[in-house]
């Protein structure tokens, strides 16, 4: 299998790979698409974040058809092997085909995520022989760093009610649901006092963690929540203590694997250790299958001049003991799909504040609202503040999708069965659904693997077949 540049979709993929286009560096590729639209005489629009929207009129005989929107993101994740001296600011990607017909970029990510979708759109815009309804192609930016381009689109930017998102793979697969999300910061102002008690540090270790969109259903332990529970159990066992600092987790969207809590206490070391070992044994049994490596370490630590007051200590520990966290709802329709979850991903102790960074995800807006409200009601009990940051909408499964039925039929004519997938991650399609709730959306794309790593590769035979299938779907949108 060679990378045949006489095929339009291959030609444009190759053109795209010549122009560096990591997230936040999409201007050159965006301008390329603008020149392309000008040369072809298409109406287009380029916005301040370099999204480009291009309209292609219907082919003869399709003038009365409803328009179809195609959409892909033009940014890629820049990752390279340690020994590669590729410069993502100026070098073209160094494409090659392996013996099994996969396209790669030497030493770097390939950007098939989502250059394959962008190439499909350019090929479709370029080909005058295709049978097409009116088509609007939306090229978005900064998807990989938080769906930023998509978030800046407005409902009136969309010239139709049917949308095919080209940022998913599998050739016979389509996504039918994605989660929305909201970031919440729970902030507790600290009150401190002088300390003369011995200090100890508790370490939560050995947890597996993982992405809170993809893996929250595995019910892995959250180091922050477990640390708070173990401390609460110390109080319940009659041991008094004051927090000095509590830090855990690295990212709000990753299940935290470790937490370090320094506290001071007048209780004998043996009593503290005994309570902690009892809690550890209970948690170990609970996590036997999800997190077999879980362990707790306790060590005497250096003297501390200051400690949090008893009141603040209790408020922090009680809040974290009670706050909703982890898997909340599963789909009663799609097996294995998480509908709603929370992840207390990061806790940080600053000089004057203690902060919990939480990510709430749900395909259903009212779930997100309720979970935010629960965090807020609980915060009001303890005098904490909750700040809700960026929020994006979810895409709840809809049993009825005309586009999905067209895709199903086109695949079945080729002897292939459509596979429906759902994700608890966030997608641009969720944002579109939030803007236009009755938008009919499907996702489609070729077989690829290793996204976001230098092992990223694109199955060229599938790249050809998926292109034909996509064109056939459009031709059948009558
Ligand atoms: Zn992507």
């Amino acid at each position: 299998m060679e990378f045949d540049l006489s095929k339009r979709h291959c030609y444009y993929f190759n053109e795209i790979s010549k122009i560096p286009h990591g997230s936040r560096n999409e201007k050159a590729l965006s301008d390329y698409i603008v020149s392309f639209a000008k040369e072809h005489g298409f109406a287009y629009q380029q916005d301040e974040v370099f999204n480009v929207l291009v309209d292609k009129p219907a082919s003869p005989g399709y003038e009365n058809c409803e328009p179809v929107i195609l959409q892909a993101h033009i940014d890629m994740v820049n990752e390279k092997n340690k020994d590669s001296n590729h410069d993502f600011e100026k070098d073209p990607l160094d494409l090659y085909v392996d013996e099994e017909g996969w396209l790669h970029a030497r030493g770097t990510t390939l950007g098939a995520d989502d250059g394959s979708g962008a190439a499909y759109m350019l090929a479709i815009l370029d080909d005058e022989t295709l049978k097409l309804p009116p088509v609007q192609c939306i090229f978005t930016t900064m998807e990989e760093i938080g769906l930023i381009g998509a978030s800046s689109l407005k409902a009136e930017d969309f010239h139709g009610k049917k949308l095919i998102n080209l940022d998913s793979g599998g050739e016979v697969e389509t996504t039918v649901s994605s989660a929305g999300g909201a970031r919440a910061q729970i902030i507790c102002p600290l009150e401190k006092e002088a300390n003369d008690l011995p200090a100890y540090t508790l370490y939560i270790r050995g947890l597996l963690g993982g992405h809170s969109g993809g893996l929250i259903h595995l019910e892995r332990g959250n180091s922050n929540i477990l640390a708070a529970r173990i401390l609460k159990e110390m109080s319940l066992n009659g041991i008094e203590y004051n927090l000095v600092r509590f830090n855990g987790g690295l990212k709000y969207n990753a299940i935290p694997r470790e937490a370090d809590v320094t506290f001071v206490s007048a209780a004998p070391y043996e009593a503290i250790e005994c309570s902690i070992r009892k809690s550890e044994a209970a948690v170990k049994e609970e996590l036997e299958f999800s997190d077999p490596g879980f362990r707790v370490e306790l060590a005497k630590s250096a003297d501390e001049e200051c400690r949090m007051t008893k009141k603040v200590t209790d408020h922090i520990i009680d809040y974290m003991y009670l706050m909703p966290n982890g898997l909340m709802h599963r789909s009663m329709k799609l097996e294995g799909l998480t509908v709603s979850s929370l992840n207390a991903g990061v806790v940080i102790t600053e000089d004057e504040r203690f902060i919990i960074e939480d990510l709430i995800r749900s395909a259903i807006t009212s779930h997100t609202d309720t979970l935010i409200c629960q965090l807020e009601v609980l915060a009001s009990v303890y005098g904490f503040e909750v700040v809700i940051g960026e929020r994006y909408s979810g895409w709840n499964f809809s049993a009825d999708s005309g586009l999905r039925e067209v895709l199903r039929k086109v695949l079945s004519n080729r002897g292939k069965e459509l596979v429906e997938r759902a994700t608890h991650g966030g997608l641009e399609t969720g944002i579109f659904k939030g803007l236009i709730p009755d938008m009919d959306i499907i996702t489609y794309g070729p077989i690829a693997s290793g996204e976001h790593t230098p092992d990223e590769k694109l199955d060229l035979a599938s790249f050809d077949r998926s292109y034909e299938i996509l064109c056939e779907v459009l031709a059948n949108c009558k």
Side-chain angles (χ1 to χ4, degrees):
M1 187 93 199
E2 58 165 333
F3 189 42
D4 180 355
L5 299 184
S6 71
K7 296 171 183 165
R8 277 188 178 82
H9 53 289
C10 295
Y11 171 81
Y12 283 110
F13 189 88
N14 192 52
E15 290 300 295
I16 290 168
S17 68
K18 291 178 190 169
I19 308 169
H21 57 281
S23 305
R24 292 196 201 283
N25 186 30
E26 300 97 333
K27 182 175 186 300
L29 180 52
S30 176
D31 289 345
Y32 171 88
I33 297 163
V34 165
S35 330
F36 169 98
K38 279 184 189 160
E39 277 163 28
H40 288 73
F42 296 136
Y44 72 91
Q45 182 189 326
Q46 183 184 39
D47 67 18
E48 63 291 348
V49 295
F50 302 113
N51 291 317
V52 189
L53 295 77
V54 183
D55 283 290
K56 179 176 184 175
S59 328
Y62 282 75
E63 293 86 351
N64 297 324
C65 297
E66 253 191 82
V68 176
I69 302 167
L70 299 174
Q71 183 266 328
H73 65 87
I74 61 170
D75 61 317
M76 67 178 273
V77 172
N78 289 343
E79 284 290 336
K80 61 178 183 178
N81 288 328
K82 280 206 180 70
D83 60 357
S84 159
N85 47 24
H86 183 88
D87 182 345
F88 280 113
E89 296 299 311
K90 59 180 214 294
D91 295 341
L93 298 172
D94 183 7
L95 304 185
Y96 71 94
V97 183
D98 72 14
E99 283 161 10
E100 276 135 35
W102 294 85
L103 184 68
H104 303 247
R106 210 171 305 276
T108 68
T109 34
L110 171 65
D113 172 15
D114 187 19
S116 63
Y120 279 176
M121 293 200 288
L122 291 168
I124 287 167
L125 288 169
D126 187 39
D127 190 344
E128 279 159 29
T129 67
L130 293 174
K131 291 183 177 139
L132 299 172
V135 168
Q136 182 188 30
C137 290
I138 300 185
F139 299 84
T140 53
T141 55
M142 296 180 278
E143 187 269 351
E144 301 286 5
I145 53 170
L147 318 178
I148 297 173
S151 303
S152 74
L153 293 171
K154 295 172 230 35
E156 56 269 28
D157 292 329
F158 295 82
H159 298 164
K161 286 279 177 76
K162 295 176 175 180
L163 185 145
I164 306 176
N165 163 282
L166 301 171
D167 185 23
S168 82
E171 192 180 320
V172 295
E173 297 177 13
T174 195
T175 304
V176 297
S177 172
S178 69
R183 277 177 84 153
Q185 268 198 329
I186 299 133
I187 302 166
C188 162
L190 295 184
E191 288 163 22
K192 292 188 191 170
E193 59 192 25
N195 174 54
D196 51 6
L197 297 173
Y200 305 91
T201 303
L202 175 82
Y203 302 92
I204 304 291
R205 292 292 183 268
L207 295 166
L208 291 167
H211 192 266
S212 77
L215 300 177
I216 204 92
H217 64 289
L218 299 178
E219 301 205 33
R220 289 181 177 164
N222 175 311
S223 57
N224 299 329
I225 298 291
L226 288 170
R229 166 177 162 190
I230 289 167
L231 285 155
K232 181 66 194 170
E233 287 171 354
M234 260 167 56
S235 310
L236 296 171
N237 289 328
I239 298 168
E240 292 214 357
Y241 56 88
N242 296 64
L243 286 175
V244 174
R245 70 188 70 81
F246 184 168
N247 294 302
L250 298 170
K251 279 174 149 184
Y252 71 106
N253 62 358
I255 301 163
R257 292 180 296 112
E258 301 190 340
D260 298 0
V261 188
T262 300
F263 60 93
V264 296
S265 175
Y269 181 82
E270 298 67 36
I272 296 171
E273 164 124 64
C274 174
S275 172
I276 287 175
R277 293 297 160 225
K278 220 170 112 185
S279 299
E280 183 191 29
V283 174
K284 241 184 162 0
E285 186 179 352
E286 294 166 21
L287 300 182
E288 183 184 355
F289 306 110
S290 57
D291 256 309
F294 166 77
R295 65 181 197 277
V296 183
E297 291 162 16
L298 176 69
K300 292 181 181 160
S301 54
D303 289 348
E304 297 286 348
E305 275 176 31
C306 286
R307 62 194 186 207
M308 297 181 201
T309 59
K310 183 79 184 117
K311 187 181 106 188
V312 166
T313 296
D314 287 347
H315 283 183
I316 290 173
I317 298 302
D318 285 358
Y319 188 91
M320 293 188 67
Y321 188 64
L322 292 172
M323 71 189 288
N325 186 70
L327 174 69
M328 287 288 130
H329 297 283
R330 288 177 300 123
S331 172
M332 293 298 121
K333 170 75 184 169
L334 304 170
E335 176 112 26
L337 173 65
T338 305
V339 173
S340 309
S341 72
L342 300 104
N343 182 53
V346 184
V347 298
I348 315 161
T349 307
E350 296 179 347
D351 282 345
E352 289 169 6
R353 307 184 304 171
F354 172 78
I355 301 166
I356 307 168
E357 297 240 15
D358 209 291
L359 180 63
I360 300 145
R361 294 179 188 269
S362 182
I364 303 176
T365 307
S366 59
H367 274 175
T368 308
D369 292 339
T370 305
L371 293 169
I372 288 173
C373 204
Q374 288 179 352
L375 294 175
E376 287 174 340
V377 169
L378 196 57
S380 71
V381 174
Y382 298 105
F384 296 178
E385 187 194 351
V386 179
V387 179
I388 302 301
E390 53 198 84
R391 186 172 167 171
Y392 56 94
S393 12
W395 170 19
N396 194 19
F397 175 75
S398 152
D400 157 56
S401 159
L403 275 179
R404 202 191 303 148
E405 293 321 306
V406 173
L407 176 59
R408 197 189 307 282
K409 207 175 131 222
V410 168
L411 285 170
S412 108
N413 289 343
R414 292 167 175 251
K416 290 172 179 168
E417 197 185 332
L418 178 66
V419 177
E420 296 180 9
R421 277 193 320 201
T423 170
H424 190 49
L427 300 178
E428 290 174 306
T429 45
I431 293 171
F432 306 151
K433 206 69 185 166
L435 289 171
I436 305 169
D438 61 344
M439 180 86 89
D440 182 5
I441 302 180
I442 60 169
T443 74
Y444 190 65
I447 296 169
S449 77
E451 289 79 5
H452 304 184
T453 76
D455 297 326
E456 182 180 7
K457 56 184 184 174
L458 173 65
D459 179 335
L460 284 175
S462 176
F463 191 43
D464 289 352
R465 285 191 302 268
S466 300
Y467 183 65
E468 280 175 28
I469 290 166
L470 175 64
C471 292
E472 210 174 310
V473 167
L474 289 170
N476 279 282
C477 283
K478 276 205 123 177

